[in-house]
Amino acid sequence: MFTNISIIGDGAMGTVLAMLLAEKKAPVRIWGYDAKQLRQTESSRQNSKFLPGYVIPEAVIFEGDDKKIMAGADLIVSAVPCQFMRSVWTRLRKQTPKNTPVCSVAKGIENKTLMRPTEILRDVLDSGKRELAALSGPTIADELARKLPATACVASSDEGLACKIQQTLSTPWFRIYTNTDIVGVELAGAMKNIIAIAAGIIDGIGAGDNAKAALLCRGLAEISRLGVAMGANPQTFAGLTGLGDLVTTCISPTGRNRSFGQRVGAGLSPQQAEDETESVIEGIATCKSVVEGLLAKYKVEMPITEAVYDVLFRKKSVQVAIVELMTRRLKSESPAN
Amino acid sequence: MFTNISIIGDGAMGTVLAMLLAEKKAPVRIWGYDAKQLRQTESSRQNSKFLPGYVIPEAVIFEGDDKKIMAGADLIVSAVPCQFMRSVWTRLRKQTPKNTPVCSVAKGIENKTLMRPTEILRDVLDSGKRELAALSGPTIADELARKLPATACVASSDEGLACKIQQTLSTPWFRIYTNTDIVGVELAGAMKNIIAIAAGIIDGIGAGDNAKAALLCRGLAEISRLGVAMGANPQTFAGLTGLGDLVTTCISPTGRNRSFGQRVGAGLSPQQAEDETESVIEGIATCKSVVEGLLAKYKVEMPITEAVYDVLFRKKSVQVAIVELMTRRLKSESPAN
């Protein structure tokens, strides 16, 4: 079990993991790129921006210094949104100890490079020796903070690291499974955000739960298809980080990507809908990465992802996109379709 | 395409399919076992008991006579709940024309015999010559009546029959896929009701969306496990009649099985929760069939289904059942687990 954990990133997920570790009496420190913001959270013992309403235990140590946060850590958690990982880790690179394992909790695919979170870490930090892991699953931070029952998956090509992180983070209300398919776990976590935007659009125009279920189902099929083409295990997409996370993201009223989609479905432009929140809507950038990069490279059919792209970036109307999806040629239900 | 359809059963699904066929200008008749109730629906042109609020078009013909309903039909739709199929079809057996195909829309497994809906039809009507099909999927009747976009799957070992039913029932707002795995489609449709009861319990005690997503995910895994042991294609469970229907049933506020579970989670006894509705809660009988019959026969692990059984039939408290599920031995996420 790890006994000295440094969390990089003071958003909702970084904060709630710090709270959980403090509860388990594990020494835990948290760092944020905005030192002023971090000090404010420290003095109020509340993350009013990203996780309002919960008291952060005294045991959580706030550390704004780039060097001090790394000293003595035996596990580093990267809780930085995907599109900001490169800049944050470039800043911290020199301070990061050579052999300390890093576990990412980001869900996305970097624009232009098309890298997964742990690939960005590998690219920025060092080239192959460091052990990396990814934690993902249906984990709405607010519910974790309330200690409601939840599950997640920690993936690493190094099973020993996955088991150690499992032991470190598990509590009676937070059940963690291990998985060796880090490619699948990261891709599923990233791509479900695109489907969540589509589910929000369905909610926004009031198309109903039959439509939403069909969307989840066909959406999961298409993201699995791309995942498998990229080397993932298809079973991963049926698991907690695929189906499980997709369900939470699509039904929770608080999910960022779904809520963003709902505003678009209700009539706002994508820009207006994005301007209404301070949170990062990872699905927008991921959709861009998939359609502009991965689709051409792997040549798989992803009609829902493409429809979301057309609505977000090509001004296609939501109504037209739905009619097009519903009136494709009638066919049989098989994985190839 | 079929051009003369007789629907046996005047519940929500039978009624909405009649409305849909009338809209497509297909001659359609509907029969109910309670002639008085049927006449009342006919005179008010509204199914006030099971599908209130929608006008049934004049083109839908109500036919209470056991012989007349069968005359001239080229497709018979069985829209009778699973546990009532044997008695209804035993009554209609002599009147049912020898070679007319029957498509079932029931979702369940018969208690004691452990038969699927089309197996009951085969058992009661004749022994092997008649073509049978099953229609299933995320199809909340109320949403179909409002012509909101929906999908479903029609399964038959006879692909030609499946295609003909697909053509007969498809509309621009109701997209139907075909599937040859009738075993999987019927089992998925039946067993998802057990998981829906569990999802309702989660809602009733307020355990949150992380827990609900984990439940759907692990629930789908265990019903697939049993399905595969019984000869189904695992892919079917990831499709519209497995995952798709499960999602709708678990998120829709109106789903009968979920709502029943919600009342149990909120503190009612199973009997009290059942007494509060006139609808058949198929999941209760299905849970009984699975735990008392199929589990012993096929020897697969189904912790969620067993927990639901213990809550419904053995007075286990909901809280104890959830704690037991969350504190099982930590493990890896693989299909075998």
Side-chain angles (χ1 to χ4, degrees):
Chain A
M1 221 151 91
F2 294 106
T3 54
N4 196 339
I5 300 117
S6 286
I7 297 174
I8 303 303
D10 58 348
M13 198 62 191
T15 305
V16 82
L17 287 178
M19 290 166 64
L20 181 147
L21 285 162
E23 182 92 20
K24 289 189 77 176
K25 317 278 181 222
V28 57
R29 290 171 289 166
I30 187 165
W31 175 98
Y33 79 100
D34 179 345
K36 196 179 143 206
Q37 173 76 40
L38 192 76
R39 272 195 303 277
Q40 203 175 308
T41 308
E42 181 178 19
S43 64
S44 66
R45 304 305 301 181
Q46 203 187 127
N47 188 332
S48 54
K49 200 168 171 190
F50 294 116
L51 196 69
Y54 301 99
V55 175
I56 300 168
E58 289 298 325
V60 174
I61 295 169
F62 291 83
E63 179 55 77
D65 184 90
D66 296 4
K67 198 166 179 182
K68 286 187 189 158
I69 186 69
M70 296 299 184
D74 59 0
L75 175 68
I76 299 165
V77 173
S78 172
V80 179
C82 181
Q83 308 303 328
F84 300 130
M85 284 181 74
R86 188 167 295 273
S87 61
V88 165
W89 284 104
T90 302
R91 169 173 154 186
L92 295 175
R93 174 166 41 193
K94 282 203 183 142
Q95 285 76 32
T96 309
K98 274 273 168 279
N99 297 313
T100 311
V102 183
C103 177
S104 159
V105 302
K107 294 172 183 173
I109 296 171
E110 194 178 34
N111 283 164
K112 297 201 178 104
T113 70
L114 307 180
M115 285 184 183
R116 295 178 278 108
T118 59
E119 290 180 310
I120 304 171
L121 288 171
R122 181 76 71 210
D123 192 45
V124 174
L125 289 179
D126 31 40
S127 54
K129 283 163 298 178
R130 187 190 303 272
E131 288 172 2
L132 296 173
L135 178 76
S136 191
T139 49
I140 300 166
D142 185 79
E143 294 192 3
L144 286 180
R146 286 190 279 153
K147 299 187 197 168
L148 292 175
T151 54
C153 203
V154 61
S156 176
S157 54
D158 179 325
E159 255 191 293
L161 175 64
C163 285
K164 259 179 98 171
I165 297 175
Q166 177 187 46
Q167 296 295 334
T168 304
L169 293 176
S170 289
T171 71
W173 69 89
F174 190 32
R175 183 170 169 81
I176 297 176
Y177 293 78
T178 59
N179 193 320
T180 51
D181 179 24
I182 192 165
V183 177
V185 163
E186 288 196 295
L187 288 178
M191 292 194 291
K192 60 93 197 174
N193 283 333
I194 305 170
I195 310 302
I197 291 174
I201 291 175
I202 292 284
D203 287 341
I205 60 164
D209 291 326
N210 290 342
K212 199 165 165 181
L215 178 91
L216 254 78
C217 199
R218 302 301 296 178
L220 185 64
E222 73 179 47
I223 67 177
S224 309
R225 212 148 48 212
L226 178 59
V228 169
M230 293 175 72
N233 178 343
Q235 290 292 347
T236 300
F237 289 84
L240 291 169
T241 57
L243 169 58
D245 203 3
L246 182 63
V247 167
T248 300
T249 319
C250 290
I251 67 177
S252 168
T254 59
R256 305 168 193 180
N257 293 279
R258 196 208 59 81
S259 303
F260 163 77
Q262 185 166 12
R263 292 191 292 274
V264 172
L268 292 191
S269 74
Q271 191 57 57
Q272 289 168 328
E274 202 177 347
D275 290 345
E276 285 209 359
T277 177
E278 289 217 58
S279 296
V280 177
I281 313 296
E282 290 272 20
I284 301 172
T286 306
C287 183
K288 211 174 155 72
S289 292
V290 170
V291 174
E292 294 179 5
L294 298 176
L295 273 194
K297 192 165 168 194
Y298 293 98
K299 299 194 186 5
V300 293
E301 213 183 335
M302 299 186 80
I304 295 169
T305 301
E306 289 178 87
V308 171
Y309 182 85
D310 287 348
V311 168
L312 296 187
F313 299 106
R314 285 180 174 161
K315 299 192 175 168
K316 180 172 279 187
S317 93
V318 164
Q319 284 76 6
V320 169
I322 291 178
V323 168
E324 284 176 2
L325 284 173
M326 287 297 290
T327 52
R328 301 173 75 220
R329 186 173 54 78
L330 287 178
K331 45 186 159 183
S332 85
E333 184 183 50
S334 79
N337 286 323
Chain B
M1 218 151 93
F2 293 106
T3 54
N4 195 339
I5 299 115
S6 286
I7 296 175
I8 303 302
D10 58 347
M13 198 61 192
T15 305
V16 83
L17 288 178
M19 289 165 65
L20 181 148
L21 286 162
E23 182 91 21
K24 289 189 79 177
K25 315 276 181 229
V28 57
R29 290 171 289 167
I30 187 165
W31 176 97
Y33 80 101
D34 180 345
K36 196 179 143 204
Q37 172 76 42
L38 192 75
R39 274 196 303 276
Q40 203 175 308
T41 309
E42 181 178 20
S43 63
S44 67
R45 305 304 301 179
Q46 205 189 123
N47 188 332
S48 54
K49 201 167 168 189
F50 295 115
L51 197 68
Y54 301 99
V55 175
I56 301 169
E58 288 298 325
V60 174
I61 295 170
F62 290 83
E63 180 54 76
D65 184 90
D66 295 5
K67 198 166 178 182
K68 287 187 186 157
I69 186 69
M70 296 298 184
D74 60 0
L75 175 68
I76 298 166
V77 173
S78 174
V80 179
C82 181
Q83 308 303 329
F84 299 131
M85 285 181 74
R86 188 167 294 273
S87 61
V88 166
W89 284 103
T90 300
R91 169 173 154 186
L92 294 174
R93 174 166 43 192
K94 283 201 183 142
Q95 284 78 32
T96 309
K98 274 273 167 280
N99 297 313
T100 312
V102 182
C103 177
S104 160
V105 302
K107 294 173 183 172
I109 295 169
E110 194 178 32
N111 283 163
K112 297 199 178 106
T113 70
L114 307 180
M115 285 182 180
R116 295 177 277 108
T118 59
E119 289 180 312
I120 303 171
L121 288 171
R122 181 75 73 210
D123 191 43
V124 174
L125 289 179
D126 31 39
S127 55
K129 283 163 299 182
R130 187 190 304 271
E131 287 172 2
L132 296 173
L135 178 77
S136 191
T139 50
I140 299 167
D142 185 79
E143 292 191 5
L144 287 180
R146 286 191 278 155
K147 298 187 195 168
L148 293 175
T151 54
C153 202
V154 61
S156 175
S157 54
D158 180 324
E159 255 192 292
L161 175 64
C163 286
K164 261 179 95 172
I165 298 174
Q166 178 187 46
Q167 297 296 333
T168 305
L169 292 176
S170 289
T171 71
W173 69 91
F174 190 32
R175 183 169 168 81
I176 297 177
Y177 293 78
T178 58
N179 192 319
T180 52
D181 178 25
I182 191 165
V183 176
V185 164
E186 288 198 296
L187 289 178
M191 293 194 290
K192 60 93 195 172
N193 283 332
I194 306 170
I195 310 304
I197 292 175
I201 292 175
I202 292 284
D203 287 342
I205 60 165
D209 291 328
N210 290 342
K212 199 164 165 180
L215 179 91
L216 255 80
C217 202
R218 301 302 295 177
L220 185 65
E222 72 177 47
I223 68 177
S224 309
R225 213 147 47 208
L226 178 59
V228 170
M230 292 176 72
N233 179 344
Q235 291 292 346
T236 301
F237 288 83
L240 291 170
T241 57
L243 168 59
D245 202 3
L246 182 64
V247 167
T248 299
T249 319
C250 290
I251 67 177
S252 168
T254 60
R256 306 168 192 179
N257 291 281
R258 196 208 58 79
S259 303
F260 163 78
Q262 186 165 13
R263 293 191 292 274
V264 172
L268 292 192
S269 74
Q271 190 57 56
Q272 289 168 328
E274 203 178 347
D275 290 345
E276 284 210 358
T277 177
E278 289 216 57
S279 296
V280 177
I281 312 297
E282 289 272 21
I284 301 172
T286 304
C287 183
K288 211 174 155 68
S289 292
V290 170
V291 175
E292 294 179 4
L294 299 175
L295 273 195
K297 192 167 167 190
Y298 293 98
K299 299 195 186 5
V300 294
E301 212 182 338
M302 298 185 80
I304 295 169
T305 301
E306 290 179 88
V308 171
Y309 183 85
D310 288 347
V311 167
L312 297 187
F313 299 107
R314 287 182 175 160
K315 300 191 174 168
K316 179 172 279 186
S317 91
V318 163
Q319 284 75 6
V320 169
I322 291 177
V323 168
E324 283 176 3
L325 284 173
M326 287 297 290
T327 52
R328 301 172 76 218
R329 188 172 53 81
L330 288 177
K331 44 187 161 182
S332 87
E333 185 183 48
S334 81
N337 287 324

